[in-house]
Amino acid sequence: MDNRPIGVMDSGLGGLSVVRVIQQELPNESVVFVGDEGHFPYGTKSQELIRQLVLRIGRFLAAQPVKLMVIACNTATAAALSTVQKELPIPVIGVINPGATAAIESKASRIGVIATESTTKDGAYVRELKKLDPHVKVISKATQPLVAIVEHGKTGTAEAQKTVDQQLASFDQEPVDALILGCTHFPFLANEISQKMGKKVKLIDPALETVNQVKKLLTVKHLLAQQAASYKLYSTGDRNDLIAGADKWLHGHYDSCNNLDLEGEN
């Protein structure tokens, strides 16, 4: 048993998709969440800067202390996972391997990946998928504008559907059997994405698969909590944006939401 919280970070609000699944699948686990909205978006930043930002947040979380850190951001996972795993004294889990593994296990022969510009350019999903199955066909598409739709609270609107339809139009010519939602913002657009892609295309949510991996690790290492959970949220930007997202996607199920200034940290 270990009642220390799980640390979760993201470039903005998208990581709340992971917190939401933790609340559902691991209801006794407390969470400390950091949304780095002061440096949003990560998808257009350099790999080195992203590594610095994620490590800074990782050190803050480790000092809380948390028992495990989830990099709930595909862009940050691609750029910083190996670095943070080496630097921090706690286990660190990213979202790319769990998502890729679930896509391969779906037996899809043609897998689509939608992600930020940085994740797509890095090719992290393609590498991971090809490592698991060298013969699988992978079609990647950068869909950066979808991140802004979520951050600005426009999910469920006509504008959201129009943007999704435009961004995913290339899959009309290159159909896929499964689609990895390669940014933790994208599960909040699952209805719009499903509407565009059709019911035959399986949507792979790395947030769900990542929490399954967290659950396995905590179980094997006997680190599961046995207490009432608490949820502390921090924003490096405008905490009102994080509050709005948490009220909407966590249904207000959190204990506090505060600003966090990490600019003086190394």
Side-chain angles (χ1 to χ4, degrees):
M1 182 182 76
D2 188 333
N3 289 327
R4 289 179 298 166
I6 295 169
V8 181
M9 69 77 57
D10 182 45
S11 60
L13 306 181
L16 293 176
S17 63
V18 171
V19 178
R20 177 177 63 175
V21 179
I22 290 174
Q23 290 182 336
Q24 296 166 353
E25 300 297 322
L26 293 165
N28 292 331
E29 298 295 335
S30 296
V31 173
V32 178
F33 173 81
V34 177
D36 195 11
E37 293 165 290
H39 299 98
F40 175 85
Y42 278 13
T44 56
K45 289 181 168 55
S46 71
Q47 302 276 294
E48 179 55 34
L49 178 56
I50 294 168
R51 279 191 286 272
Q52 293 174 10
L53 295 171
V54 177
L55 190 55
R56 183 185 299 173
I57 292 170
R59 287 172 175 150
F60 165 78
L61 290 172
Q64 292 310 294
V66 300
K67 59 187 173 185
L68 176 148
M69 176 181 174
V70 178
I71 302 179
C73 173
N74 290 266
T75 300
T77 296
L81 179 61
S82 61
T83 298
V84 178
Q85 285 174 330
K86 292 174 186 175
E87 294 290 333
L88 296 188
I90 53 174
V92 182
I93 293 177
V95 288
I96 290 178
N97 174 266
T101 299
I104 295 297
E105 290 177 349
S106 76
K107 304 299 183 184
S109 59
R110 295 172 60 87
I111 297 173
V113 181
I114 52 174
T116 64
E117 292 174 13
S118 178
T119 302
T120 304
K121 186 176 180 179
D122 177 81
Y125 266 107
V126 176
R127 286 196 303 275
E128 197 67 31
L129 289 163
K130 291 291 186 179
K131 187 191 305 179
L132 295 167
D133 181 357
H135 305 294
V136 71
K137 173 71 172 178
V138 184
I139 301 162
S140 296
K141 174 74 164 63
T143 54
Q144 188 75 37
L146 301 188
V147 180
I149 291 290
V150 176
E151 286 285 325
H152 296 151
K154 295 180 180 179
T155 58
T157 66
E159 181 182 347
Q161 189 64 64
K162 180 180 179 181
T163 305
V164 166
D165 290 348
Q166 291 172 340
Q167 291 295 306
L168 273 58
S170 62
F171 291 109
D172 294 341
Q173 285 72 48
E174 295 186 283
V176 294
D177 307 310
L179 182 68
I180 296 175
L181 307 183
C183 172
T184 46
H185 287 73
F186 295 170
F188 295 122
L189 287 166
N191 289 336
E192 288 88 346
I193 293 169
S194 183
Q195 178 71 26
K196 168 59 181 172
M197 299 300 291
K199 294 181 179 179
K200 291 184 179 180
V201 177
K202 180 176 177 59
L203 302 187
I204 306 294
D205 179 0
L208 175 59
E209 305 305 330
T210 299
V211 174
N212 287 338
Q213 193 172 108
V214 168
K215 189 174 185 177
K216 290 177 183 176
L217 187 150
L218 294 179
T219 301
V220 168
K221 292 184 174 292
H222 306 290
L223 295 176
L224 288 167
Q226 294 181 359
Q227 65 174 12
S230 66
Y231 306 96
K232 296 180 180 180
L233 314 180
Y234 293 92
S235 172
T236 63
D238 185 348
R239 76 183 185 100
N240 290 321
D241 291 337
L242 182 53
I243 287 172
D247 285 344
K248 182 175 183 178
W249 295 310
L250 302 183
H251 305 292
H253 189 195
Y254 61 95
D255 296 273
S256 62
C257 184
N258 295 296
N259 283 112
L260 180 64
D261 182 5
L262 293 175
E263 293 304 324
E265 300 290 331
N266 291 322

